[in-house]
Amino acid sequence: MKKLIGLVLIGFAGAVTFAQNAESEVIRLSIDEAVEYALKNNRTLKSNDIDLEMKTRASKYSWNVFLPTVQASGTMSRATEFSPSTAAQSQIFNKLTQGAYPIMTDYDSEEDRWSTIGSISASWNFTPAYIAKIKVAKAQYEAGKVSWEESQNETLMNIKKIYYGLLLQQESLKIQKTTLENARQRMNQAATNFKNGSIPEIQYLQTQVNYENTKPDVDSAEQTLNQQMDLFAFMLGLPVGTKIELTSEITPTYVDVNADELLAKYSDNDLQIQSLRKNMDAAKLGISAAGLATWVPTLALSYSWQPVYIGSEGAFHFYKDLGSDDKWYDSGSFSATLVWNLTNMLPWSANQQQIKDYKQQLAQLELTVETLKENQKVEVKKAVDTLNQAREQIEAMGRNVTLAQRAYDMTARSYRNGTTELLDLRDAETSLNQAKLGQINQKFQYISALMDLENTLNTKLTK
C-alpha cells in the first residue's frame, strides 16, 4: 500500500512539473510569425471565414430557385359515418369485382371504414425574376469577398500595431529599469560615502528617497506590459498567460511618397469603396428583380398522381396488391398556369415599396461613396504629413540622443567626483530618457502611419 501511495505521489509531482514547464514555455515571435499565427488561430478571422463561406454557398447554389417542388405522401383515413363519397368508392369497387352497383348502407367490418390513398405531386414555377435573383446572390458574394478582405486587413493591421506597441512599452520599461538600477547604485554609493563621512546624511537620504520613489513606477509599468501581453496572446488565439518573446525591432522602412500621386494611382483600391460599389450593383439588380416580379407573369406547371386502393383485401392489406393496376384507382392531374400578381402593380403595394427602398438605398450608397472619397483624401494627406514629420523627428532625436548621452556621462562623472549635485544628475538622466523615448515613439508613429496609409489605399508601399 505504501508503495502504491508513493507511486501516486511521484506521478502527481511529475504532472505538476509538466504543467509548470508548459506554463513557463516561451514562444518567440517575429512580426511576420505573429501575423501568420493569427491567420490560423485568431477567432475574429475564423468568424470572417465562416461568413464568407456562407456567402459562397449562397452564390454557388443560387440556381436552386429552378428546382421543382416534389412531394410524396401516404394517407390512411377512417370514416366515422357512411357518406356519398364512401358510397361512390364502394360502387367502383363492386363494379370492378362483381359487375354490379349495390349501394352499401352500412359497414360490414372495422376495416371497411378505412381507406388507403397515396399521393405524388410535382410543381415548377418560372419567372425571369429568378434570373435577376441569381445575379443578386452573385453580387452579394462579390461584396462579401471584399468585406472579408477588408476585415482581414483591418484585423492583421491591428495585430501589427499592438506588436509594435508592445515593443515600445518594452523599450520604455527597459529605460525605466535602467534608471531604477542607476538610482540603486547611487544609493549604495551614497551609503558607503556616508559611512566614510564623505557626505552628509541628508545627501544619502535623498538618494534613498529617489530610489524608493522610482520602484512603484517600474512595477506598475511592468504589470501593464504583462496585461497587454495577455491581450495580445488572446488576439493571436493563444491561451491567456502564454509567455511571448517579441523578436522583431521597431525599425521603420522609409518611403518617399506624395499624397496627390498616391491618390491618382491607388484611390480606386480602397476596399470600403469597392464594397459599397458591389452593394450598389446588388441594389440595382434587386430593383430589376422586383420590376420583373411585378410586370412579367409566372409560369406554374403542376402534376399530381393520387392512387386510391380499392382491392378486395381491405385498406390494411394494400401492400399485397402494390403491383396490381386493377386494384388501384388513379385521380391524378396536370396543369399549366400563367399567374400575374396584380397587387404588386399597385403603387402602395409591398413590392412597389421595396423598389422604392432599393432606390433610396442606392442613393445612400452613392452619397457614402462620395463621402469616403473625400475622407480618403484627408486620411492620405494626414498619413503622408505624419510620415514626413516623423522621419524628420527620428533623425533629429537621433542626434539629440547622442548629445544627451554625452551630457549624462559627463554629469555622472562629475557627480562621482563630488563636483555636481544629485539634482543635476537626475535632470541629465531625465533628458536622456526623454530623448530615447521620443525617438522610439516617433519610430512607432512612422510605422503606424505607414500601415494606415497602406490599408487606406489597399496597396504595399514598401518592398
Side-chain angles (χ1 to χ4, degrees):
M1 186 67 180
K2 291 182 178 179
K3 291 182 178 180
L4 179 61
I5 294 174
L7 290 173
V8 171
L9 292 175
I10 291 173
F12 177 75
V16 171
T17 302
F18 177 80
Q20 290 176 345
N21 290 336
E23 289 181 358
S24 61
E25 182 181 358
V26 178
I27 297 180
R28 296 169 54 87
L29 293 175
S30 66
I31 183 67
D32 294 331
E33 290 170 341
V35 169
E36 182 180 355
Y37 196 92
L39 284 172
K40 296 178 181 178
N41 300 280
N42 181 268
R43 296 170 182 83
T44 301
L45 297 181
K46 287 183 178 180
S47 178
N48 294 339
D49 292 339
I50 294 174
D51 287 337
L52 182 61
E53 183 180 351
M54 290 190 293
K55 288 182 173 63
T56 302
R57 190 170 61 254
S59 174
K60 183 178 180 180
Y61 297 107
S62 58
W63 56 266
N64 59 18
V65 293
F66 292 116
L67 289 176
T69 300
V70 180
Q71 294 179 328
S73 66
T75 304
M76 293 193 72
S77 62
R78 181 184 184 278
T80 57
E81 296 181 2
F82 192 76
S83 63
S85 61
T86 306
Q89 291 183 17
S90 298
Q91 289 173 359
I92 294 171
F93 167 72
N94 288 327
K95 179 182 178 182
L96 294 173
T97 57
Q98 301 174 6
Y101 286 87
I103 298 178
M104 298 178 63
T105 58
D106 200 357
Y107 294 104
D108 293 335
S109 65
E110 172 65 21
E111 190 169 359
D112 291 337
R113 293 175 176 270
W114 288 84
S115 62
T116 301
I117 304 172
S119 177
I120 296 177
S121 64
S123 61
W124 183 74
N125 297 336
F126 173 77
T127 172
Y130 288 168
I131 299 175
K133 289 182 179 179
I134 292 175
K135 292 181 179 180
V136 169
K138 301 291 185 182
Q140 290 175 341
Y141 165 66
E142 293 297 328
K145 283 200 304 184
V146 176
S147 297
W148 174 84
E149 185 180 356
E150 181 184 356
S151 181
Q152 293 279 109
N153 292 348
E154 190 76 23
T155 302
L156 294 179
M157 182 184 69
N158 290 334
I159 288 175
K160 290 180 181 180
K161 283 187 176 182
I162 293 176
Y163 187 99
Y164 285 116
L166 289 172
L167 287 176
L168 179 61
Q169 286 183 270
Q170 285 182 341
E171 291 298 324
S172 176
L173 180 61
K174 187 185 298 183
I175 292 173
Q176 287 178 288
K177 285 185 174 182
T178 301
T179 301
L180 179 64
E181 176 61 20
N182 292 339
R184 187 189 66 81
Q185 291 179 3
R186 287 194 293 268
M187 181 186 67
N188 292 338
Q189 181 184 1
T192 301
N193 293 338
F194 172 67
K195 290 180 181 179
N196 295 333
S198 302
I199 60 173
E201 184 178 6
I202 184 63
Q203 191 171 346
Y204 164 63
L205 293 177
Q206 287 176 340
T207 59
Q208 190 174 11
V209 169
N210 179 46
Y211 172 71
E212 295 297 335
N213 285 340
T214 307
K215 285 177 61 179
D217 294 337
V218 175
D219 293 339
S220 177
E222 189 165 15
Q223 181 182 11
T224 301
L225 177 60
N226 291 334
Q227 291 173 348
Q228 293 298 318
M229 280 292 189
D230 287 340
L231 177 60
F232 185 60
F234 171 77
M235 290 190 67
L236 293 181
L238 291 167
V240 176
T242 302
K243 295 181 179 179
I244 302 175
E245 180 180 345
L246 308 180
T247 59
S248 295
E249 298 179 351
I250 305 180
T251 305
T253 301
Y254 297 118
V255 293
D256 295 321
V257 289
N258 178 276
D260 294 332
E261 292 177 357
L262 291 175
L263 288 169
K265 190 174 182 179
Y266 301 111
S267 60
D268 290 337
N269 290 3
D270 191 311
L271 290 176
Q272 283 185 293
I273 295 177
Q274 289 185 28
S275 178
L276 288 172
R277 285 176 174 165
K278 296 293 184 182
N279 288 325
M280 289 169 64
D281 293 339
K284 292 176 182 177
L285 291 169
I287 294 173
S288 299
L292 290 171
T294 300
W295 306 107
V296 179
T298 299
L299 173 64
L301 302 178
S302 177
Y303 173 76
S304 67
W305 177 53
Q306 190 176 53
V308 181
Y309 180 64
I310 55 177
S312 59
E313 293 291 338
F316 295 158
H317 299 83
F318 68 92
Y319 57 89
K320 294 182 179 180
D321 296 320
L322 290 176
S324 178
D325 294 338
D326 60 348
K327 299 297 180 67
W328 291 85
Y329 171 70
D330 180 12
S331 60
S333 65
F334 171 79
S335 65
T337 309
L338 283 177
V339 181
W340 276 274
N341 190 332
L342 300 180
T343 302
N344 284 344
M345 301 179 186
L346 299 175
W348 51 84
S349 67
N351 193 63
Q352 294 298 319
Q353 296 305 311
Q354 185 181 36
I355 292 176
K356 292 179 181 179
D357 289 343
Y358 275 130
K359 291 180 178 179
Q360 289 183 324
Q361 289 173 7
L362 190 58
Q364 285 182 326
L365 290 171
E366 289 174 349
L367 290 173
T368 305
V369 168
E370 292 178 5
T371 302
L372 284 178
K373 285 184 175 180
E374 294 302 315
N375 184 66
Q376 183 190 61
K377 295 177 183 178
V378 174
E379 293 297 325
V380 169
K381 290 182 178 180
K382 176 182 176 182
V384 170
D385 290 342
T386 302
L387 290 175
N388 293 332
Q389 183 181 18
R391 185 171 182 175
E392 293 176 359
Q393 291 291 331
I394 291 169
E395 295 173 356
M397 289 184 175
R399 296 188 294 268
N400 193 28
V401 168
T402 302
L403 295 175
Q405 185 67 55
R406 289 181 58 190
Y408 172 76
D409 292 340
M410 294 173 63
T411 306
R413 284 196 299 269
S414 299
Y415 176 77
R416 287 194 296 269
N417 295 331
T419 58
T420 301
E421 298 291 334
L422 176 61
L423 182 60
D424 296 330
L425 179 61
R426 291 177 59 186
D427 288 342
E429 187 175 43
T430 299
S431 298
L432 176 60
N433 292 341
Q434 288 177 343
K436 290 180 178 179
L437 287 175
Q439 186 185 38
I440 296 172
N441 184 64
Q442 288 301 318
K443 288 182 179 180
F444 173 79
Q445 293 297 329
Y446 189 95
I447 293 173
S448 181
L450 183 58
M451 284 192 290
D452 287 334
L453 182 60
E454 290 180 337
N455 185 62
T456 299
L457 299 175
N458 189 30
T459 190
K460 192 73 174 176
L461 298 175
T462 56
K463 296 181 180 180

